Amino acid sequence: MSSEGLVSNCSLIGGFDSYEENYDSDDVVLEQFVLDVLDFSSQYGSDISISYTAYNISGKPSKFPDYGDFPQTFVMRTYGKWWNEAPSCPLSIMPQNNGTIQSQDYIDISFEQEVYPEAVCIYETYNPGSVVRIWAGNNEGHWRLLWEGEPQIVEHGPRIFSPKLKKIDFMTCLIRLEFDHSQLDYYTELDAVKLSGSRTPNLPLDLNNISTQVKDLKLNTITNDMDMSSALTSLSLLAQHYNALLEDINQEIESPSSHTSGPFDDLPDETVLRIFSYLDLTSLCRCVRVNKHFNRLASDTMLYTAINLKVIFIKNCGKQITHLQLDCCKYIDNDCIKQISESCRNLKGSCVNVASMDEVAQALGTYNRELISVDFWKTYSLTPVGVKALSNCSKLEEVDFGWCLGVSIPGDSMVALANGCRGLRKLFMAALRGITDRDMYPFINNCPRLQQVDLLGIRSITPQVCLRFFRSVLA
């Protein structure tokens, strides 16, 4: 990394003028802004645009302390409580994995230098208050919680949110932010994130623990006449027999007595499975390692009929799956979606975002007639061919075509959708500028259950049809 790069993203405080000469000093506190965005759950913008995308959070603030709606910021896709009231609001999958404070979105960001974090400053330029967790990660994929708190209702205005952090015992250049937007009136916008820290551990001294350790050493029992040679010989013999000791331990683990599950041996498998259904994924993984009995039960497919791929990936999803969330799975491609649609015939909901969507929509219309919800937000490759194929999903309740520019001239696809999916309750068509009154009337006449409609950016419909549309929604 060149010195120019260091100057652009990092700075030092504490009276030092030179990064190269003084970085090793214990008094140096390094302040640095985001170098790269590693992962995120959602963004209002698209990958082919620079407006409202996650990567706008990189570098120094570009808008702060201005307040307002700026395309140069990072914006996520949800706000308010009405998202949780949508017809297809995803059920909490294995809720025992969730904490007391829920989150809808996250972003993983990296910085140039590893430090012991002392402060994380989040520059909020529109509708602040949704940050609920801050994590620090290491190179082994482990995360340590730095701060957690409820979402806030704050006055409108820019702010730098910097809560007090917990101390950790490792250096980090990876930070994860989690968000709960339920208290917001509109989208939140973030301009930048600054990480401050030093290369000197800042853990508080636990004097009680130190005293206990010193006492445990029993230094007062060591005398001048102690036979140190004999003690060292004993340690040497122990080291020589270390492998044999490990082998004895392994044999004990494999002994018949270790195969028993205690009182669980007396319970029917169905009862144990019922108990296991309340365990989180980490606990289930531990049960698999207890013995063969627990391994068989904790691996039962009935414990995994609903899978959230943000938490775990299972290669063969099987026929029992009814809910599948793919919104953060960047490795998913058309072949994966097609295979899922052919194998998971009981699938009722999905969230997809891949490169080409017409074949996917046709597969869903052919194999997944039980589909309730599908989200095509900003999938530009979707065309009227795919929309028309979805009309075969008669139980469809929610569909999002927002910014699907390939559907801007819909032909008769919207008419087919309204005729085939009369149970629709949510319809998003933001920015489909080719939509006309002719495309809207079939929904007014055929979909009496509609509750949520987004027509933002549609320029070719008349005020009269909008009024009729919303009167039918409110009726």
Side-chain angles (χ1 to χ4, degrees):
M1 182 66 66
S2 67
S3 59
E4 293 180 358
L6 294 174
V7 172
S8 62
N9 282 323
C10 305
S11 63
L12 300 173
I13 61 176
F16 294 105
D17 298 324
S18 170
Y19 174 87
E20 298 290 344
E21 295 179 3
N22 296 289
Y23 185 72
D24 291 332
S25 173
D26 292 343
D27 296 330
V28 168
V29 175
L30 180 65
E31 292 184 339
Q32 48 187 333
F33 291 94
V34 176
L35 178 67
D36 195 13
V37 175
L38 304 179
D39 198 8
F40 55 89
S41 55
S42 74
Q43 62 180 6
Y44 190 87
S46 66
D47 291 336
I48 64 174
S49 172
I50 61 173
S51 299
Y52 303 116
T53 63
Y55 298 97
N56 287 337
I57 206 172
S58 301
K60 296 180 179 180
S62 61
K63 290 300 176 182
F64 189 89
D66 294 336
Y67 182 77
D69 181 8
F70 302 114
Q72 298 90 338
T73 58
F74 167 45
V75 183
M76 288 154 280
R77 282 196 55 197
T78 62
Y79 68 88
K81 297 183 178 181
W82 67 275
W83 291 86
N84 294 326
E85 299 170 358
S88 65
C89 174
L91 299 175
S92 182
I93 296 175
M94 298 188 75
Q96 54 269 41
N97 289 309
N98 303 328
T100 55
I101 299 177
Q102 303 298 312
S103 64
Q104 295 93 29
D105 279 301
Y106 74 90
I107 184 170
D108 292 346
I109 49 182
S110 67
F111 298 82
E112 192 167 340
Q113 298 291 333
E114 288 189 338
V115 295
Y116 291 99
E118 297 181 5
V120 173
C121 300
I122 303 167
Y123 292 73
E124 301 174 280
T125 54
Y126 200 38
N127 297 308
S130 63
V131 180
V132 294
R133 287 188 196 89
I134 303 175
W135 300 82
N138 61 18
N139 294 327
E140 299 178 354
H142 299 146
W143 294 89
R144 188 77 60 83
L145 185 65
L146 295 177
W147 173 85
E148 181 180 43
E150 297 282 352
Q152 304 171 356
I153 300 177
V154 298
E155 296 182 358
H156 290 281
R159 74 166 184 172
I160 300 177
F161 182 58
S162 182
K164 184 177 180 180
L165 305 181
K166 297 179 181 178
K167 307 298 183 182
I168 59 175
D169 56 0
F170 62 87
M171 291 194 297
T172 184
C173 63
L174 304 176
I175 294 294
R176 169 177 292 174
L177 305 179
E178 291 189 32
F179 306 88
D180 179 359
H181 311 291
S182 60
Q183 303 299 321
L184 299 181
D185 297 327
Y186 199 59
Y187 298 101
T188 187
E189 299 188 6
L190 306 182
D191 193 14
V193 177
K194 181 175 68 175
L195 171 64
S196 301
S198 68
R199 299 182 67 86
T200 303
N202 52 12
L203 289 173
L205 291 176
D206 188 348
L207 299 179
N208 292 330
N209 187 41
I210 292 176
S211 300
T212 302
Q213 294 182 34
V214 171
K215 292 178 180 178
D216 290 342
L217 292 176
K218 298 181 179 179
L219 298 177
N220 59 321
T221 62
I222 299 178
T223 61
N224 293 330
D225 59 348
M226 177 176 286
D227 189 353
M228 297 301 296
S229 176
S230 175
L232 291 175
T233 301
S234 299
L235 290 174
S236 177
L237 291 174
L238 178 61
Q240 293 175 11
H241 295 86
Y242 180 70
N243 291 332
L245 177 62
L246 288 180
E247 185 176 349
D248 290 341
I249 294 175
N250 290 331
Q251 290 178 356
E252 183 178 349
I253 292 176
E254 294 296 329
S255 64
S257 61
S258 67
H259 292 171
T260 63
S261 304
F264 284 93
D265 287 333
D266 300 327
L267 297 176
D269 286 355
E270 292 79 6
T271 303
V272 179
L273 284 174
R274 179 68 174 177
I275 296 172
F276 279 8
S277 68
Y278 294 99
L279 298 179
D280 57 35
L281 291 174
T282 302
S283 299
L284 284 173
C285 290
R286 290 170 178 166
C287 287
V288 167
R289 301 165 59 185
V290 171
N291 53 38
K292 291 182 179 180
H293 181 211
F294 271 30
N295 181 290
R296 177 177 60 83
L297 293 176
S299 302
D300 194 289
T301 58
M302 292 305 296
L303 294 173
Y304 309 99
T305 58
I307 302 172
N308 182 342
L309 291 189
K310 287 191 293 186
V311 180
I312 187 171
F313 176 74
I314 295 182
K315 184 177 181 180
N316 299 317
C317 57
K319 298 180 180 180
Q320 301 294 330
I321 294 177
T322 58
H323 293 78
L324 189 62
Q325 294 180 359
L326 307 177
D327 46 318
C328 297
C329 301
K330 296 184 178 180
Y331 48 80
I332 294 294
D333 56 18
N334 289 355
D335 293 335
C336 292
I337 297 294
K338 187 175 181 180
Q339 184 62 47
I340 288 171
S341 68
E342 293 174 355
S343 302
C344 307
R345 300 299 182 88
N346 293 321
L347 199 63
K348 296 182 179 180
S350 65
C351 178
V352 294
N353 186 9
V354 294
S356 177
M357 293 306 302
D358 272 349
E359 291 185 9
V360 173
Q362 289 173 322
L364 292 174
T366 302
Y367 299 107
N368 298 101
R369 303 294 178 88
E370 301 292 316
L371 191 68
I372 294 176
S373 169
V374 65
D375 183 351
F376 292 101
W377 172 267
K378 290 191 176 181
T379 49
Y380 300 131
S381 59
L382 184 71
T383 72
V385 175
V387 175
K388 198 168 184 178
L390 288 174
S391 63
N392 294 324
C393 302
S394 60
K395 296 185 179 181
L396 194 64
E397 295 185 13
E398 176 180 5
V399 62
D400 190 340
F401 296 131
W403 293 90
C404 293
L405 302 184
V407 191
S408 290
I409 304 177
D412 63 348
S413 62
M414 291 299 173
V415 177
L417 185 70
N419 288 331
C421 307
R422 296 172 179 255
L424 277 175
R425 299 172 61 190
K426 176 180 174 181
L427 177 65
F428 277 23
M429 297 192 291
L432 301 188
R433 292 178 171 83
I435 296 292
T436 65
D437 289 1
R438 170 183 173 274
D439 303 303
M440 302 304 300
Y441 277 116
F443 293 105
I444 296 174
N445 297 328
N446 297 330
C447 303
R449 300 180 63 198
L450 270 173
Q451 297 176 346
Q452 299 175 3
V453 181
D454 186 351
L455 306 178
L456 181 67
I458 300 180
R459 301 174 179 176
S460 301
I461 57 177
T462 64
Q464 290 75 19
V465 77
C466 287
L467 185 59
R468 282 197 57 185
F469 207 109
F470 288 109
R471 280 178 176 172
S472 67
V473 170
L474 297 174

